[in-house]
Amino acid sequence: MAAAPPAPTSRLRVVAGEEELLRARAVSAVRVAVREAHPDSEEHELAAAGLAIGQLTDALAPSLFGGHRLVVVTGVHEAAAALAENLISYTKDPDPELTLVLVHHGGKRNEALVKAFKAAGAAIDECPKISSAGERIAFVRNEVRHAGGRITPDAVTALLDAVGNDLRGLSAAASQLVSDFGGSIDADAVARFHRGQAEVTGFTVAERVLVGDTAGSVEMLRWALDRGVAHVLIADALADGVRTAARVASLNTTNIGELARQLKLPPWKVKKAQSQARGWTIDALQQAIGVAATLNADVKGAAASADYALEKAIRQLVEIRSAGAAGRGERARSFR
């Protein structure tokens, strides 16, 4: 279901259909193809809703520095009539050094715009809604095959029962299953995998961050978000984990009972915090507290995308831990 790369002679493309994941993949495939052909290409992405014609004209105008350009106009089903006419006019004399991609969410609105691009020879990526049980089964099989594995019919059914109908969740699960079980997926593998993922919480994410596991942290984050864990709860868990590790690390004792009394925390939480704090320096934990504070504001509305803010913060925290550990190792070597 991945989009074919744009033909070398075609500079017009339409990505159309109701399925958001397939649209995103199609646009991504075009970006990759353009970058491979033109590594220094200039890129613009514009939302059609409320887009001024002058802004579109500027994006379509030749660059002062030359070179290829990629312009993606999203949501063209919401384009105003004048903007749609402007886009149609562009097809009469397209710039050979520009790839123009229109993204249409399907339906009848501005259907004439899509037809005009088709008539002008635009390449078309159809992204129809995957809604029937048969289509979802085929999707799962294709995802597993694309990841290099095979899946039994009962495993497909088990995966759909476990994950539901969300295509991103199904895609992520298919890829992870192939990675975890060596490419041969049966119903037992799906059951074991789902048991391991079903209880993902903000604290699960925080645990992976505090031990410096970037891949595991991001994977747990995505599973938590797929299961509806609130952004603010994940941010709170990260902040709590960092603060607790900092409090434990700042005291001159390793006695769990003493730490529990001083910090007024249960011994099990102190023991876990001790383990998590081992890879951190005090300076790194102080920086991490700052990142957690910024994240708290971001997930409460300061950031345009709470999903992006969480993943960015997670990567920052792991990088801070790694940098602190590397610095500590370097200082230790200098004293030898």
Side-chain angles (χ1 to χ4, degrees):
M1 294 186 183
T9 55
S10 173
R11 297 303 180 205
L12 301 175
R13 197 170 192 94
V14 177
V15 174
E18 296 177 67
E19 196 58 71
E20 187 273 334
L21 175 61
L22 301 186
R23 292 198 309 266
R25 286 183 174 179
V27 173
S28 178
V30 175
R31 281 200 174 98
V32 169
V34 169
R35 287 171 186 168
E36 287 179 352
H38 310 280
D40 297 324
S41 59
E42 180 183 318
E43 297 185 13
H44 301 274
E45 182 168 323
L46 308 169
L51 180 63
I53 291 176
Q55 191 177 354
L56 175 66
T57 301
D58 288 344
L60 298 178
S63 170
L64 294 174
F65 303 102
H68 197 83
R69 286 153 294 134
L70 168 65
V71 177
V72 180
V73 184
T74 61
V76 296
H77 58 292
E78 297 180 324
L83 184 70
E85 287 299 324
N86 195 274
L87 287 166
I88 291 171
S89 296
Y90 175 81
T91 66
K92 298 171 183 175
D93 185 24
D95 185 342
E97 287 302 322
L98 185 143
T99 298
L100 174 60
V101 181
L102 303 189
V103 183
H104 190 286
H105 291 198
K108 296 295 184 181
R109 293 178 62 187
N110 276 335
E111 189 179 35
L113 175 57
V114 175
K115 289 180 178 178
F117 266 66
K118 286 182 180 179
I124 308 295
D125 289 304
E126 299 285 358
C127 306
K129 187 72 175 174
I130 294 177
S131 54
S132 72
E135 289 169 338
R136 285 191 289 273
I137 289 170
F139 175 81
V140 170
R141 285 176 175 160
N142 286 336
E143 292 297 293
V144 171
R145 190 179 302 116
H146 181 71
R150 293 172 294 120
I151 187 167
T152 61
D154 58 340
V156 175
T157 301
L159 186 59
L160 288 167
D161 288 344
V163 176
N165 298 332
D166 177 70
L167 295 193
R168 288 190 183 277
L170 289 169
S171 176
S175 177
Q176 194 63 46
L177 279 163
V178 173
S179 175
D180 288 351
F181 295 97
S184 184
I185 313 303
D186 57 19
D188 181 60
V190 173
R192 282 185 285 153
F193 174 74
H194 185 59
R195 280 197 299 272
Q197 302 297 336
E199 300 304 320
V200 172
T201 66
F203 291 102
T204 314
V205 178
E207 287 172 7
R208 303 317 308 161
V209 171
L210 287 163
V211 298
D213 181 1
T214 303
S217 302
V218 173
E219 180 189 344
M220 290 300 103
L221 171 64
R222 290 171 181 169
W223 277 103
L225 293 175
D226 282 344
R227 276 151 181 73
V229 180
H231 297 92
V232 69
L233 294 182
I234 300 172
D236 285 348
L238 287 167
D240 180 74
V242 169
R243 284 195 301 266
T244 304
R247 293 171 70 194
V248 167
S250 67
L251 297 177
N252 295 321
T253 179
T254 57
N255 183 281
I256 293 176
E258 180 63 25
L259 285 169
R261 282 191 294 274
Q262 288 192 47
L263 299 176
K264 298 181 180 179
L265 293 172
W268 67 265
K269 190 167 185 177
V270 170
K271 187 175 181 180
K272 178 179 284 188
Q274 277 184 320
S275 175
Q276 293 170 342
R278 286 193 188 110
W280 292 82
T281 65
I282 293 297
D283 286 346
L285 285 166
Q286 289 174 342
Q287 292 179 57
I289 289 171
V291 171
T294 300
L295 176 62
N296 182 268
D298 285 343
V299 298
K300 291 178 179 176
S305 167
D307 285 13
Y308 175 76
L310 279 165
E311 183 165 338
K312 179 183 176 183
I314 282 172
R315 294 183 185 278
Q316 284 180 315
L317 290 169
V318 175
E319 287 172 6
I320 288 169
R321 180 185 186 275
S322 298
R328 180 168 53 193
E330 190 63 38
R331 288 192 296 275
R333 285 191 292 274
S334 71
F335 286 125
R336 289 176 185 169

